[in-house]
Tab-separated table of all heavy atoms in Angstrom:
chain	number	residue	atom	x	y	z
B	345	ARG	N	78.283	-85.827	-8.824
B	345	ARG	CA	78.015	-85.547	-7.413
B	345	ARG	C	76.644	-86.096	-7.028
B	345	ARG	O	75.782	-86.285	-7.887
B	345	ARG	CB	78.112	-84.058	-7.104
B	345	ARG	CG	76.975	-83.242	-7.641
B	345	ARG	CD	77.016	-81.803	-7.124
B	345	ARG	NE	75.857	-81.074	-7.616
B	345	ARG	CZ	75.882	-79.800	-7.935
B	345	ARG	NH1	76.983	-79.090	-7.833
B	345	ARG	NH2	74.779	-79.221	-8.365
B	346	THR	N	76.481	-86.321	-5.754
B	346	THR	CA	75.216	-86.872	-5.258
B	346	THR	C	74.791	-86.148	-3.999
B	346	THR	O	75.649	-85.706	-3.219
B	346	THR	CB	75.356	-88.396	-5.000
B	346	THR	OG1	74.085	-88.927	-4.661
B	346	THR	CG2	76.336	-88.718	-3.884
B	347	THR	N	73.493	-85.950	-3.837
B	347	THR	CA	72.929	-85.258	-2.681
B	347	THR	C	71.808	-86.105	-2.093
B	347	THR	O	70.937	-86.574	-2.838
B	347	THR	CB	72.337	-83.896	-3.091
B	347	THR	OG1	73.318	-83.174	-3.823
B	347	THR	CG2	71.899	-83.076	-1.883
B	348	ILE	N	71.823	-86.322	-0.788
B	348	ILE	CA	70.752	-87.108	-0.165
B	348	ILE	C	69.478	-86.250	-0.170
B	348	ILE	O	69.445	-85.154	0.396
B	348	ILE	CB	71.150	-87.558	1.245
B	348	ILE	CG1	72.362	-88.506	1.149
B	348	ILE	CG2	69.976	-88.246	1.935
B	348	ILE	CD1	73.036	-88.766	2.465
B	349	ALA	N	68.444	-86.758	-0.821
B	349	ALA	CA	67.251	-85.970	-1.049
B	349	ALA	C	66.089	-86.333	-0.149
B	349	ALA	O	65.308	-85.469	0.264
B	349	ALA	CB	66.820	-86.083	-2.523
B	350	GLU	N	65.961	-87.602	0.163
B	350	GLU	CA	64.741	-88.044	0.854
B	350	GLU	C	65.021	-89.405	1.517
B	350	GLU	O	65.754	-90.229	0.976
B	350	GLU	CB	63.640	-88.211	-0.196
B	350	GLU	CG	62.233	-88.161	0.331
B	350	GLU	CD	61.187	-88.255	-0.791
B	350	GLU	OE1	61.534	-88.067	-1.971
B	350	GLU	OE2	60.048	-88.545	-0.466
B	351	LYS	N	64.429	-89.614	2.703
B	351	LYS	CA	64.557	-90.902	3.396
B	351	LYS	C	63.171	-91.414	3.752
B	351	LYS	O	62.362	-90.694	4.328
B	351	LYS	CB	65.394	-90.748	4.663
B	351	LYS	CG	66.837	-90.358	4.388
B	351	LYS	CD	67.552	-89.943	5.646
B	351	LYS	CE	67.823	-91.128	6.554
B	351	LYS	NZ	68.612	-90.691	7.776
B	352	ILE	N	62.906	-92.658	3.423
B	352	ILE	CA	61.575	-93.196	3.624
B	352	ILE	C	61.661	-94.523	4.373
B	352	ILE	O	62.421	-95.431	3.976
B	352	ILE	CB	60.848	-93.417	2.250
B	352	ILE	CG1	60.733	-92.080	1.511
B	352	ILE	CG2	59.479	-94.040	2.447
B	352	ILE	CD1	60.402	-92.218	0.045
B	353	LEU	N	60.897	-94.638	5.474
B	353	LEU	CA	60.842	-95.904	6.201
B	353	LEU	C	59.866	-96.828	5.496
B	353	LEU	O	58.852	-96.393	4.979
B	353	LEU	CB	60.377	-95.648	7.641
B	353	LEU	CG	61.332	-94.844	8.518
B	353	LEU	CD1	60.676	-94.487	9.838
B	353	LEU	CD2	62.613	-95.628	8.746
B	354	LEU	N	60.191	-98.106	5.493
B	354	LEU	CA	59.343	-99.073	4.797
B	354	LEU	C	58.635	-99.964	5.810
B	354	LEU	O	59.282	-100.695	6.547
B	354	LEU	CB	60.196	-99.939	3.854
B	354	LEU	CG	61.011	-99.160	2.825
B	354	LEU	CD1	61.968	-100.109	2.108
B	354	LEU	CD2	60.113	-98.446	1.819
B	355	LYS	N	57.327	-99.882	5.804
B	355	LYS	CA	56.542	-100.720	6.744
B	355	LYS	C	56.732	-102.192	6.438
B	355	LYS	O	56.823	-103.023	7.324
B	355	LYS	CB	55.051	-100.365	6.636
B	355	LYS	CG	54.680	-99.073	7.336
B	355	LYS	CD	53.221	-99.112	7.774
B	355	LYS	CE	52.811	-97.849	8.530
B	355	LYS	NZ	52.322	-96.807	7.659
B	356	SER	N	56.841	-102.486	5.110
B	356	SER	CA	56.932	-103.890	4.701
B	356	SER	C	58.300	-104.507	5.020
B	356	SER	O	58.432	-105.715	5.140
B	356	SER	CB	56.650	-103.991	3.205
B	356	SER	OG	57.557	-103.175	2.496
B	357	ARG	N	59.321	-103.666	5.122
B	357	ARG	CA	60.678	-104.163	5.383
B	357	ARG	C	61.329	-103.331	6.474
B	357	ARG	O	62.140	-102.444	6.186
B	357	ARG	CB	61.523	-104.060	4.110
B	357	ARG	CG	61.068	-104.917	2.976
B	357	ARG	CD	61.985	-104.725	1.795
B	357	ARG	NE	61.649	-105.598	0.688
B	357	ARG	CZ	62.385	-105.704	-0.413
B	357	ARG	NH1	63.501	-105.025	-0.528
B	357	ARG	NH2	61.998	-106.496	-1.383
B	358	PRO	N	60.982	-103.635	7.736
B	358	PRO	CA	61.440	-102.764	8.835
B	358	PRO	C	62.950	-102.729	9.013
B	358	PRO	O	63.466	-101.793	9.616
B	358	PRO	CB	60.755	-103.392	10.066
B	358	PRO	CG	60.269	-104.722	9.676
B	358	PRO	CD	60.112	-104.722	8.188
B	359	GLN	N	63.662	-103.710	8.471
B	359	GLN	CA	65.112	-103.682	8.647
B	359	GLN	C	65.808	-102.816	7.595
B	359	GLN	O	67.014	-102.621	7.644
B	359	GLN	CB	65.691	-105.108	8.623
B	359	GLN	CG	65.625	-105.848	7.287
B	359	GLN	CD	64.276	-106.529	7.044
B	359	GLN	OE1	63.206	-106.015	7.402
B	359	GLN	NE2	64.318	-107.679	6.426
B	360	TRP	N	65.026	-102.269	6.644
B	360	TRP	CA	65.599	-101.444	5.587
B	360	TRP	C	64.925	-100.086	5.529
B	360	TRP	O	63.781	-99.933	5.911
B	360	TRP	CB	65.427	-102.106	4.224
B	360	TRP	CG	66.076	-103.434	4.102
B	360	TRP	CD1	65.498	-104.656	4.354
B	360	TRP	CD2	67.426	-103.712	3.717
B	360	TRP	NE1	66.418	-105.653	4.146
B	360	TRP	CE2	67.602	-105.116	3.737
B	360	TRP	CE3	68.491	-102.895	3.329
B	360	TRP	CZ2	68.808	-105.710	3.430
B	360	TRP	CZ3	69.696	-103.503	2.997
B	360	TRP	CH2	69.849	-104.901	3.046
B	361	GLY	N	65.665	-99.100	5.025
B	361	GLY	CA	65.074	-97.794	4.738
B	361	GLY	C	65.411	-97.432	3.300
B	361	GLY	O	66.476	-97.818	2.773
B	362	LEU	N	64.510	-96.667	2.656
B	362	LEU	CA	64.746	-96.256	1.258
B	362	LEU	C	65.353	-94.849	1.261
B	362	LEU	O	64.817	-93.943	1.897
B	362	LEU	CB	63.436	-96.247	0.487
B	362	LEU	CG	63.531	-95.829	-0.983
B	362	LEU	CD1	64.171	-96.937	-1.814
B	362	LEU	CD2	62.161	-95.486	-1.545
B	363	VAL	N	66.460	-94.695	0.586
B	363	VAL	CA	67.116	-93.387	0.458
B	363	VAL	C	67.052	-92.966	-0.991
B	363	VAL	O	67.403	-93.741	-1.875
B	363	VAL	CB	68.577	-93.436	0.944
B	363	VAL	CG1	69.255	-92.080	0.739
B	363	VAL	CG2	68.658	-93.828	2.407
B	364	ARG	N	66.553	-91.745	-1.213
B	364	ARG	CA	66.560	-91.172	-2.566
B	364	ARG	C	67.676	-90.130	-2.645
B	364	ARG	O	67.768	-89.273	-1.783
B	364	ARG	CB	65.231	-90.495	-2.868
B	364	ARG	CG	64.126	-91.487	-3.129
B	364	ARG	CD	62.884	-90.835	-3.658
B	364	ARG	NE	61.948	-91.858	-4.043
B	364	ARG	CZ	60.625	-91.749	-3.923
B	364	ARG	NH1	60.088	-90.634	-3.460
B	364	ARG	NH2	59.838	-92.739	-4.293
B	365	ASN	N	68.497	-90.247	-3.698
B	365	ASN	CA	69.556	-89.248	-3.870
B	365	ASN	C	69.449	-88.598	-5.250
B	365	ASN	O	69.156	-89.263	-6.243
B	365	ASN	CB	70.930	-89.860	-3.617
B	365	ASN	CG	71.112	-91.192	-4.301
B	365	ASN	OD1	70.307	-91.563	-5.159
B	365	ASN	ND2	72.138	-91.917	-3.946
B	366	ARG	N	69.695	-87.291	-5.252
B	366	ARG	CA	69.727	-86.536	-6.512
B	366	ARG	C	71.134	-86.629	-7.069
B	366	ARG	O	72.081	-86.222	-6.392
B	366	ARG	CB	69.304	-85.090	-6.251
B	366	ARG	CG	69.533	-84.131	-7.393
B	366	ARG	CD	68.774	-84.477	-8.656
B	366	ARG	NE	67.320	-84.433	-8.480
B	366	ARG	CZ	66.442	-84.802	-9.426
B	366	ARG	NH1	66.887	-85.244	-10.603
B	366	ARG	NH2	65.172	-84.757	-9.202
B	367	ASN	N	71.276	-87.202	-8.251
B	367	ASN	CA	72.596	-87.377	-8.837
B	367	ASN	C	72.737	-86.482	-10.054
B	367	ASN	O	71.808	-86.378	-10.860
B	367	ASN	CB	72.766	-88.833	-9.244
B	367	ASN	CG	72.639	-89.756	-8.068
B	367	ASN	OD1	73.487	-89.745	-7.174
B	367	ASN	ND2	71.552	-90.507	-7.998
B	368	GLU	N	73.907	-85.851	-10.145
B	368	GLU	CA	74.125	-84.943	-11.266
B	368	GLU	C	75.550	-85.094	-11.783
B	368	GLU	O	76.459	-85.444	-11.021
B	368	GLU	CB	73.934	-83.491	-10.828
B	368	GLU	CG	72.496	-83.162	-10.489
B	368	GLU	CD	72.388	-81.893	-9.645
B	368	GLU	OE1	73.057	-81.813	-8.611
B	368	GLU	OE2	71.650	-80.983	-10.064
B	369	ALA	N	75.724	-84.829	-13.065
B	369	ALA	CA	77.056	-84.884	-13.672
B	369	ALA	C	77.226	-83.676	-14.575
B	369	ALA	O	76.269	-83.256	-15.243
B	369	ALA	CB	77.217	-86.177	-14.454
B	370	PHE	N	78.449	-83.151	-14.577
B	370	PHE	CA	78.757	-81.944	-15.371
B	370	PHE	C	80.036	-82.131	-16.147
B	370	PHE	O	80.971	-82.785	-15.684
B	370	PHE	CB	78.907	-80.728	-14.438
B	370	PHE	CG	77.672	-80.429	-13.636
B	370	PHE	CD1	77.474	-81.024	-12.395
B	370	PHE	CD2	76.716	-79.559	-14.134
B	370	PHE	CE1	76.326	-80.767	-11.673
B	370	PHE	CE2	75.556	-79.306	-13.416
B	370	PHE	CZ	75.363	-79.920	-12.164
B	371	ASN	N	80.090	-81.523	-17.345
B	371	ASN	CA	81.340	-81.534	-18.094
B	371	ASN	C	82.211	-80.333	-17.648
B	371	ASN	O	81.818	-79.568	-16.776
B	371	ASN	CB	81.076	-81.536	-19.608
B	371	ASN	CG	80.345	-80.292	-20.078
B	371	ASN	OD1	80.395	-79.245	-19.417
B	371	ASN	ND2	79.689	-80.383	-21.229
B	372	GLU	N	83.405	-80.219	-18.268
B	372	GLU	CA	84.337	-79.156	-17.842
B	372	GLU	C	83.797	-77.772	-18.121
B	372	GLU	O	84.258	-76.808	-17.535
B	372	GLU	CB	85.677	-79.324	-18.576
B	372	GLU	CG	86.454	-80.538	-18.147
B	372	GLU	CD	87.105	-81.217	-19.323
B	372	GLU	OE1	86.381	-81.571	-20.295
B	372	GLU	OE2	88.337	-81.388	-19.297
B	373	ARG	N	82.838	-77.673	-19.020
B	373	ARG	CA	82.234	-76.360	-19.327
B	373	ARG	C	81.076	-76.038	-18.409
B	373	ARG	O	80.394	-75.042	-18.570
B	373	ARG	CB	81.798	-76.345	-20.802
B	373	ARG	CG	82.973	-76.546	-21.771
B	373	ARG	CD	82.539	-76.700	-23.221
B	373	ARG	NE	81.810	-77.938	-23.466
B	373	ARG	CZ	82.371	-79.165	-23.536
B	373	ARG	NH1	83.680	-79.321	-23.360
B	373	ARG	NH2	81.641	-80.233	-23.792
B	374	GLY	N	80.873	-76.893	-17.413
B	374	GLY	CA	79.819	-76.652	-16.427
B	374	GLY	C	78.416	-77.007	-16.917
B	374	GLY	O	77.441	-76.721	-16.246
B	375	GLU	N	78.354	-77.676	-18.073
B	375	GLU	CA	77.046	-78.096	-18.596
B	375	GLU	C	76.633	-79.407	-17.975
B	375	GLU	O	77.441	-80.331	-17.835
B	375	GLU	CB	77.119	-78.261	-20.129
B	375	GLU	CG	77.432	-76.980	-20.864
B	375	GLU	CD	77.950	-77.238	-22.269
B	375	GLU	OE1	78.488	-78.322	-22.573
B	375	GLU	OE2	77.829	-76.310	-23.086
Side-chain angles (χ1 to χ4, degrees):
Chain B
R345 73 171 183 215
T346 187
T347 308
I348 296 167
E350 203 177 344
K351 294 168 73 177
I352 300 165
L353 294 172
L354 303 171
K355 283 208 178 88
S356 57
R357 295 181 177 187
Q359 69 276 38
W360 299 92
L362 180 73
V363 177
R364 287 190 172 144
N365 45 13
R366 169 60 63 185
N367 301 292
E368 292 162 306
F370 300 89
N371 63 22
E372 291 140 304
R373 299 173 292 285
E375 297 161 337

